[in-house]
Amino acid sequence: MKQENDNNIVLAIDQKPKLGQGILLSIQHLFAMFGATVLVPALTGMSPAIALISSGIGTLVFILITKGKVPSYLGSSFAFINPIIAMKALEANPTSGIEVGSFLVGSFLVGVTYSIVALLIAKAGTKWLMNLLPPIVVGPVIMVIGLGLASTAINMVTNNPSGEYDLTYVTIGFVTLIITIVTAIFSKGFLSVIPILVGIIGGYLFSISMGVVDLEPVKQASWFMVPPFTVPFIDYQPSLSWYVVFLMIPVTIVPIAEHIGHQLVLSKVVNKDLIEDPGLDRSMLGDGVATMIAACLGGPPNTTYGENIGVLAITRAFSIYVFIGAACFAILFGFCGKISALLSTIPSPVMGGVSILLFGIIASSGLRMLIENKVDFKIKRNLIISSVILIIGIGGAAIHIGNMFSLEGMALASIIGVALNLILPGREIISFKDMFDEE
């Protein structure tokens, strides 16, 4: 990687900021991750407070495992929204055979998968991973995630809690969407990095003016509150089923690819080859351990956040101590009863409004991956792989064998995409190191 001028760096990775400077920079990173991190539990029926706490603890563990050399923040992963919603629906159905807490077992297995991949990278390098997950597989799978969530966003915007069409909800949803878009397009500096948070705040204030927000829970809540942690063997008895394995594990293709991309971009931003030192195996392991901890607390799987990388690029303050501060603030916020109550009063059309843009961006980022990697759709194998992944994933195709085995939707599409890439003739062998140098 070419070396660049470091004169404009405000804080080096190992440099301690002054107290006031550090607090402000930490809060800035907290704002950057806040909107997306609480949106995932809001959509899946989990506790936003626990998501905040688990993201803070996960970030601290990540920093420890990477020896304080990778300035990253870990937040809730969007890749697992649909699988978690599907499993929670089955848990609520007593005839499904899916035990309560199965989605958390699945989240824990996601962390285990990250850790196994990290071990394989440490032992066998990275070339195998890039050959297994080329852009022609990962790009369409990412598109499936965004497009598969489209109906969720629209339902949140158009339907009230009774399931009926509500024009007030539609108005709130689209006002939230407009605020988010305007912030993303026209704002400068730090505001351009947090359009989701600005959209949620703006939509929430508009909702208050429309009379659909009840602030009484916020008034009654205490400042300190222990959130509803869901701990295995205490709150539920973990049970493993093939359904959980095949619904969650294949989806890890996306956050693994996302993790690699973030490390490449972050290396460019901080002007250090983080793939080599501390190593992709360590950062992947940090992601895995953080996700396992989150699952044991009742939180969603974690992933590194591009929003915080954007903040780094703007501020040029790379200090790892800033991320430690942001993680500590997230944990404190999670134990604040009034903040938890405030989050619970956000109307669904506000979350739906920002989700329209956010889920669309997820789908578009898959398309962007194909374009940036110059995937040629004149080649039949590329056209076939992407077409099959998109239709199987968005169409909700499924394979059921009794109550023992089930594979469907995005998980099925991911596995078939990997298989087609390995089986069809004309596959190019891609070196991870070559890819890094080209970037």
Side-chain angles (χ1 to χ4, degrees), residues 89-98 403:
L90 287 173
E91 289 177 17
N93 182 1
T95 63
S96 67
I98 302 299
N403 294 324

Side-chain angles (χ1 to χ4, degrees), residues 326-398:
C328 292
F329 277 123
I331 295 170
L332 290 175
F333 272 36
F335 282 103
C336 180
K338 288 195 178 294
I339 290 178
S340 298
L342 184 66
L343 293 175
S344 68
T345 63
I346 300 176
S348 63
V350 172
M351 291 303 193
V354 296
S355 295
I356 290 175
L357 178 62
L358 196 57
F359 296 161
I361 289 175
I362 292 173
S364 299
S365 66
L367 180 61
R368 177 182 175 182
M369 176 178 286
L370 296 172
I371 294 172
E372 289 183 345
N373 286 275
K374 300 178 182 178
V375 175
D376 188 357
F377 282 96
K378 293 179 182 177
I379 300 175
K380 290 182 179 179
R381 79 181 306 273
N382 291 340
L383 188 61
I384 289 171
I385 292 171
S386 61
S387 300
V388 171
I389 290 175
L390 288 171
I391 296 303
I392 288 179
I394 298 173

